[in-house]
Amino acid sequence: MKKSQFFLLFLLCASSYAQTVRKYSNEFMNIGVDAAALGMANAMTASTSDVNSGYWNPAGLVHLEDHQMSLMHANYFANIAKYDYIAYANTIDDDSAWGISLIRFGVDDILNTTELIDSQGNIDYNRISLFSTADYGVTFSYARKLQVPGFQYGVNAKVIRRVIGKFASSWGFGFDAGLQFEKNDWKFGLMLRDITTTYNVWSIDEAEYKKIADAIPGQNQELPESTEITAPKAQLGLSKKFIVRYDYSILAAANINMQFAKTNDILSTDFVSIDPALGFEFGYTDLVFLRAGVGNFQNIQQIDNTEKVGFQPNIGLGFKYKGIQIDYALTNLGNQSAALYSNIFSVKVDLGFFRN
């Protein structure tokens, strides 16, 4: 039944696409990657410096010393939705680096019950079929140091592929740009997502669409419009790493996440909405890490029309040994009460460590 509900949800979403800017278009690209980052509430814009920088801020790729790979798997919504990520990055020379990553967010084996009842009004379970809906994002990243000491920049080119069974599919294209600056052990970061807007073009299978047009009586009678635009977003970051008695370290990081639309973020106007995030990482001899973060501050309307501030706490831990780092985070997609928490695991491998 849950997957049937997901089918109806995606059906409604497909029916609402139009040639206009959407607040939550391609939202799967905003979930985040790497359990270490998720444990710190995604406050990574300034501090990111590994293979996962292709997602958080491509400028951080210039800190690579050799090639790296990263993998992550997560289940959301009581294991109904699956989220997978793989990335690879390598240096080009002393001043530049490149990377590539793939994200998939999908719900598989959804029950299609729209033809459950035949033309005679009889229920026929043999008429139930299965389909999947999946979103894919492929990102190509390039980063380079600027001639000004402490500055580096990065750019992303993104290809988006979205598929809703046989009913509809789309292709999308967009660009990101990032900047980092370091001075006196302080790091600053700026990430501009979808700077040219990300443009999705949908293709609707009219024959298949007619089969589901009456799934909800009185709705979905017209074909959805075929274009969708993702609005730009901006993230400002600040971080600093403190060394305590040689063996211990504390990384403190903060983000200001901005959307140029009115949302439920804690600070919201018609021009921009702001959602802060704060993360900490405690490390011991660069071997064991404990992490915590808080973010996703939202104004939530209650049944009695009053509002309260919701937020999302996160925790995590990591272990690093001989070029392999395994990280874990306990997090979710909503605030502290809106959804079930998920256990996220990721692996990062410094492939240069195993070079003969």
Side-chain angles (χ1 to χ4, degrees):
M1 291 301 295
K2 290 183 178 179
K3 291 190 177 182
S4 297
Q5 293 171 2
F6 260 86
F7 164 66
L8 294 177
L9 172 62
F10 280 105
L11 183 62
L12 291 173
C13 290
S15 300
S16 66
Y17 293 136
Q19 189 172 352
T20 185
V21 173
R22 299 295 183 186
K23 290 181 182 179
Y24 305 108
S25 173
N26 292 329
E27 193 66 13
F28 76 102
M29 293 293 290
N30 297 320
I31 295 174
V33 302
D34 182 31
L38 295 172
M40 295 178 62
N42 299 350
M44 300 300 294
T45 304
S47 62
T48 184
S49 60
D50 59 15
V51 60
N52 300 304
S53 298
Y55 178 88
W56 296 111
N57 186 341
L61 290 173
V62 300
H63 297 288
L64 287 173
E65 297 181 357
D66 212 318
H67 52 167
Q68 289 184 349
M69 177 177 286
S70 181
L71 300 167
M72 188 189 83
H73 173 75
N75 292 322
Y76 289 107
F77 308 121
N79 296 327
I80 293 177
K82 295 178 174 58
Y83 182 61
D84 295 286
Y85 161 78
I86 182 172
Y88 172 83
N90 197 4
T91 59
I92 298 175
D93 52 38
D94 291 339
D95 295 324
S96 59
W98 72 278
I100 183 172
S101 63
L102 169 66
I103 289 174
R104 181 189 187 270
F105 186 88
V107 180
D108 299 308
D109 297 330
I110 304 170
L111 294 176
N112 180 2
T113 60
T114 57
E115 297 182 327
L116 176 62
I117 301 176
D118 62 22
S119 59
Q120 305 300 318
N122 301 313
I123 295 177
D124 184 356
Y125 292 102
N126 293 322
R127 296 168 63 88
I128 296 176
S129 59
L130 300 175
F131 73 97
S132 297
T133 178
D135 299 329
Y136 301 87
V138 180
T139 301
F140 303 90
S141 305
Y142 173 79
R144 187 171 184 84
K145 294 180 181 178
L146 293 172
Q147 294 183 350
V148 181
F151 278 95
Q152 54 259 353
Y153 74 92
V155 293
N156 287 336
K158 300 185 295 187
V159 179
I160 307 296
R161 175 66 170 166
R162 307 184 68 186
V163 180
I164 304 178
K166 297 179 180 179
F167 313 111
S169 62
S170 77
W171 288 98
F173 304 91
F175 296 90
D176 305 329
L179 184 70
Q180 284 185 335
F181 173 64
E182 303 174 35
K183 187 173 182 180
N184 298 329
D185 296 326
W186 287 91
K187 295 183 178 182
F188 306 85
L190 171 65
M191 179 63 172
L192 303 175
R193 298 185 181 275
D194 305 298
I195 55 174
T196 59
T197 70
T198 295
Y199 192 79
N200 285 69
V201 179
W202 284 86
S203 174
I204 311 297
D205 188 315
E206 295 189 26
E208 291 294 331
Y209 187 81
K210 287 180 180 179
K211 296 179 182 179
I212 62 173
D214 294 320
I216 302 177
Q219 299 187 27
N220 307 316
Q221 302 302 309
E222 297 181 1
L223 284 174
E225 295 188 32
S226 59
T227 55
E228 176 186 14
I229 299 174
T230 305
K233 300 180 181 66
Q235 297 170 322
L236 287 171
L238 170 69
S239 71
K240 186 174 183 179
K241 191 172 186 177
F242 303 88
I243 305 298
V244 182
R245 295 184 180 180
Y246 304 103
D247 290 336
Y248 303 93
S249 66
I250 299 175
L251 173 63
N255 257 32
I256 296 177
N257 305 311
M258 294 173 284
Q259 298 186 62
F260 298 99
K262 191 167 186 178
T263 68
N264 289 330
D265 289 345
I266 189 171
L267 299 175
S268 184
T269 68
D270 291 334
F271 172 69
V272 64
S273 298
I274 297 175
D275 168 32
L278 186 65
F280 296 93
E281 178 186 80
F282 173 79
Y284 173 68
T285 66
D286 200 33
L287 179 68
V288 180
F289 306 91
L290 297 176
R291 305 182 181 97
V294 61
N296 196 20
F297 290 90
Q298 303 285 304
N299 291 314
I300 302 175
Q301 189 170 18
Q302 306 300 297
I303 297 178
D304 59 0
N305 291 324
T306 61
E307 286 190 350
K308 75 171 186 178
V309 176
F311 60 91
Q312 178 186 329
N314 309 273
I315 58 173
L317 56 87
F319 179 76
K320 181 178 179 181
Y321 183 69
K322 291 187 176 181
I324 299 177
Q325 181 171 327
I326 301 175
D327 295 297
Y328 163 81
L330 181 64
T331 183
N332 71 3
L333 293 178
N335 59 42
Q336 76 276 16
S337 60
L340 296 175
Y341 270 75
S342 298
N343 298 292
I344 313 297
F345 292 92
S346 67
V347 178
K348 183 175 67 178
V349 181
D350 188 345
L351 297 172
F353 186 88
F354 302 96
R355 192 188 303 276
N356 292 330

